Amino acid sequence: MEGGIPKRGKRARGALKGRAVDAAPLAEVQALLAAALRKSGTDPRRRDLLIENLHLIQDRYGHISAAHMVALAREMKLAMTEVYEVATFYHHFDVVKEGQTPPPALTVRVCDSLSCELSGSNELIRGLKTALGEGVRVIPAPCVGRCEQAPVAVVGQNPVAQASVDKVKPLVAAKKTQCAVGKYLNYAQYRKAGGYDLAIECLKGTRDAESVIKTMENSGLRGLGGAGFPAGRKWRIVRGEKGPRLMAVNIDEGEPGTFKDRHYLERDPHRFLEGVIVAAWAVQVSEVYIYLRDEYAGVRAILEKEIKALQADPPCPIPPIFLRRGAGAYICGEESAMIESIEGKRGMPRLRPPYVAQVGLFGHPTLEHNMETLYWVRDIIQKGAEWFAGHGRNGRKGLRSFSVSGRVNKPGVHLAPAGISVKELIEEYCGGMQSGHSFYGYLPGGASGGILPASMGDIPLDFDTLNPYGCFIGSAAVIVFSDKDCARTAARNVMKFFVEESCGQCTPCRVGTAKALQLMESPKWNGSLLEELSGAMADASICGLGQAAPNPIRTVMKYFPKEVG
């Protein structure tokens, strides 16, 4: 139990069959679990902490051996198959089978997603493999959430912006593998500036839940993780469910081109945490689980420190808050897959209904939110619904945090009115196109949002406005490419990403993405076959990954026909 909420899961077993446990690995695992118990005060042998325990082994030994998995299964009273299937599902666990050679002690990951590829990541990978030699593993990696710093290499957990061989090599030699944490507004500073005053008002009864929920509804704020469900309506729905209720916060920001959540958390984490407390109060949530992608080691250090400070000196009654660490799986950005992962399982999306608002985390009604949605709660309630709804262009309402990368002079997170066009965004916020580059096309919603030509750069960027063109804004990840680039190459890059990130649960996505990539390698695309395949993926896939994967194919064939033959 955590905070009095009973956890669902398999009943603890007695003696387990299978391979005998080796004494030395068993002692090592027991020592790691004992240290975790001392640090958290929570029994680490609970089923839902399996992924956390695998991280303990991976962090300590640089890989996860078969002997350690057997020992962990013994300690957690799980079948070896359960431990193995979870460990092998996630990219960041290096599972070493019997007879295999462990990986080198140091791994350098180089992002090869679209923004980094445009900035030369493929050449960087080749250069690092030559320069660093056999003692260091250099591997391509999916988007690491630092697209404005492209190309990016990660030495251990230490990200290197605008990476080059000359930048990475000395870090490897010095074994500088930890992510540095920059300056941010800490707990004391946030309180001094009026932070948590709203939470205090709510918990003291100065504000009532109904008026707060009504303000959220009137603001028009929609979920900023990509789905766009009205936030206030979600609060009302979950509050209406029978308790206990839980909250799951999604910071698995894995969509290529997206980095807004990291941007805000690296600067003002308590604005988000205050939003969490207010939402939990309004919906009567018993526990909060924050799911953070593993690539954000710096953010994890910030949140661990600041949640601890908040809990040590709370400004008002706060719910138990638990920080859970992802392990490298894009699919866990899907809400039900994230919930499976928080429960210590493979991140496989659930069939719906029931929806997570009804049957979510540990079987309880769950309020699921993207981090940025909660980040705006304080401002909206304190300044009023009209303040947020008063922003916007082209008939749209609200603000959007655009993660902009690619061929612009000022990539980064740009807070702009909802409904702004990409042309306006480039000129007014991004300093125009890079020298020698002319605007040619853009991805309005990251890898899954489709690809549009510059001639369609006046479309308002907001929820629903892009749907008639076969695109969507999603998490507002805008990747800009130029006349030096190729739309079909961009589509091939994102399809490769989908192939690697498909969880494999459903055939249309698992087989369809791989077959699509194969067809896209042809000098001349087979349009009819690709369209037939796209229809099957969009109609029959279980979750949004397979359903959205055809968007780049269809939009390139429609808007860039000369490139595909």
Side-chain angles (χ1 to χ4, degrees):
M1 298 178 70
E2 269 182 3
I5 303 297
K7 300 294 184 267
R8 292 187 176 184
K10 295 187 177 180
R11 184 177 300 172
R13 298 180 175 88
L16 297 177
K17 297 180 180 179
R19 171 180 159 167
V21 183
D22 295 336
L26 178 61
E28 291 167 346
V29 168
Q30 289 172 336
L32 290 173
L33 297 182
L37 177 60
R38 290 192 298 271
K39 180 179 179 180
S40 67
T42 301
D43 180 12
R45 290 169 175 79
R46 284 204 328 261
R47 174 64 179 82
D48 58 296
L49 293 175
L50 173 57
I51 293 174
E52 298 293 313
N53 293 338
L54 289 169
H55 275 302
L56 295 176
I57 299 171
Q58 176 73 40
D59 289 347
R60 172 63 181 82
Y61 297 102
H63 63 279
I64 301 174
S65 69
H68 281 132
M69 282 191 289
V70 171
L72 184 59
R74 164 73 174 272
E75 286 298 298
M76 297 188 70
K77 292 184 169 57
L78 296 172
M80 175 61 182
T81 53
E82 292 182 78
V83 177
Y84 180 80
E85 70 177 9
V86 172
T88 54
F89 181 84
Y90 296 92
H91 297 316
H92 291 183
F93 293 142
D94 291 310
V95 175
V96 178
K97 301 176 183 178
E98 287 190 75
Q100 287 186 334
T101 302
L106 181 58
T107 295
V108 176
R109 290 180 167 86
V110 180
C111 177
D112 67 350
S113 290
L114 182 55
S115 298
C116 285
E117 184 179 89
L118 293 176
S119 296
S121 62
N122 292 331
E123 293 80 1
L124 177 60
I125 291 171
R126 289 192 291 269
L128 288 173
K129 285 183 176 180
T130 300
L132 300 181
E134 296 182 359
V136 178
R137 181 174 59 162
V138 178
I139 57 175
C143 186
V144 297
R146 296 180 176 273
C147 315
E148 83 281 24
Q149 302 170 4
V152 179
V154 184
V155 180
Q157 294 186 340
N158 184 11
V160 184
Q162 287 86 43
S164 65
V165 172
D166 290 340
K167 276 188 176 182
V168 172
K169 194 172 180 179
L171 296 177
V172 170
K175 297 183 179 179
K176 291 186 177 181
T177 60
Q178 299 302 309
C179 182
V181 175
K183 291 183 178 180
Y184 64 90
L185 202 64
N186 65 26
Y187 181 58
Q189 293 166 334
Y190 185 75
R191 287 291 304 274
K192 187 176 181 180
Y196 290 107
D197 286 354
L198 173 62
I200 292 170
E201 292 172 5
C202 291
L203 271 295
K204 281 187 175 181
T206 306
R207 295 177 184 266
D208 65 278
E210 176 58 32
S211 65
V212 166
I213 293 174
K214 193 69 176 177
T215 298
M216 292 295 294
E217 290 174 329
N218 292 340
S219 73
L221 178 68
R222 296 172 65 172
L224 298 174
F229 192 88
R233 190 192 307 174
K234 184 181 285 190
W235 288 20
R236 192 174 296 281
I237 289 170
V238 179
R239 183 182 169 91
E241 294 290 329
K242 184 179 179 180
R245 305 171 198 86
L246 305 180
M247 183 190 299
V249 183
N250 193 336
I251 321 180
D252 193 64
E253 190 174 43
E255 181 73 21
T258 311
F259 46 92
K260 61 183 178 61
D261 293 353
R262 173 186 60 79
H263 172 88
Y264 287 124
L265 288 171
E266 287 178 340
R267 290 159 177 80
D268 195 0
H270 286 281
R271 188 173 298 269
F272 152 66
L273 291 172
E274 184 167 12
V276 167
I277 292 171
V278 172
W281 162 79
V283 180
Q284 297 181 338
V285 160
S286 301
E287 293 179 357
V288 175
Y289 291 79
I290 299 174
Y291 188 83
L292 177 69
R293 70 180 311 205
D294 195 34
E295 289 84 351
Y296 289 173
V299 173
R300 185 168 68 251
I302 291 171
L303 286 178
E304 286 176 345
K305 180 178 180 180
E306 297 308 314
I307 291 172
K308 185 176 180 180
L310 172 64
Q311 292 170 332
D313 180 27
C316 56
I318 64 174
I321 300 174
F322 305 99
L323 182 62
R324 292 294 172 86
R325 180 178 171 185
Y330 167 74
I331 192 63
C332 291
E334 196 276 338
E335 62 178 9
S336 65
M338 175 192 66
I339 285 173
E340 289 286 297
S341 190
I342 293 174
E343 293 180 354
K345 305 171 187 174
R346 294 178 296 169
M348 295 284 199
R350 297 176 179 177
L351 293 172
R352 291 171 288 188
Y355 297 96
V356 299
Q358 303 162 314
V359 182
L361 188 56
F362 305 117
H364 300 294
T366 301
L367 177 66
E368 187 275 341
H369 266 316
N370 169 254
M371 171 267 155
E372 194 203 348
T373 310
L374 294 164
Y375 184 87
W376 289 111
V377 166
R378 173 186 163 182
D379 281 339
I380 288 172
I381 296 175
Q382 287 185 330
K383 297 178 181 179
E386 298 78 11
W387 166 79
F388 188 80
H391 295 85
R393 290 187 187 178
N394 299 310
R396 311 303 297 182
K397 294 182 179 181
L399 291 165
R400 294 306 303 264
S401 301
F402 292 95
S403 303
V404 186
S405 61
R407 305 295 194 182
V408 295
N409 280 319
K410 295 180 181 178
V413 173
H414 298 288
L415 184 63
I420 193 173
S421 72
V422 70
K423 287 182 178 178
E424 293 169 329
L425 188 64
I426 292 170
E427 292 306 316
E428 296 177 30
Y429 291 84
C430 302
M433 297 292 292
Q434 292 176 357
S435 177
H437 292 266
S438 298
F439 181 37
Y440 179 61
Y442 65 109
L443 286 76
S448 54
I451 304 175
L452 293 173
S455 60
M456 299 175 69
D458 294 315
I459 301 170
L461 297 176
D462 197 15
F463 294 112
D464 311 321
T465 59
L466 294 154
N467 295 7
Y469 309 100
C471 299
F472 58 81
I473 193 171
S475 57
V478 178
I479 304 175
V480 179
F481 58 99
S482 76
D483 55 340
K484 303 288 193 298
D485 308 310
C486 176
R488 64 173 285 157
T489 300
R492 193 165 59 241
N493 177 285
V494 298
M495 186 57 66
K496 177 177 176 287
F497 172 81
F498 291 138
V499 172
E500 294 170 347
E501 295 299 325
S502 173
C503 75
Q505 181 177 191
C506 66
T507 302
C509 177
R510 181 184 68 250
V511 177
T513 52
K515 182 62 176 178
L517 180 61
Q518 181 183 354
L519 292 171
M520 293 165 76
E521 298 290 349
S522 173
K524 183 176 181 180
W525 287 10
N526 186 330
S528 60
L529 185 56
L530 277 169
E531 176 54 38
E532 183 179 356
L533 183 60
S534 295
M537 285 193 285
D539 294 341
S541 295
I542 289 174
C543 81
L545 192 157
Q547 293 164 10
N551 289 344
I553 299 173
R554 286 171 157 169
T555 51
V556 168
M557 289 195 299
K558 184 174 183 178
Y559 302 120
F560 301 88
K562 293 182 179 179
E563 291 195 17
V564 298

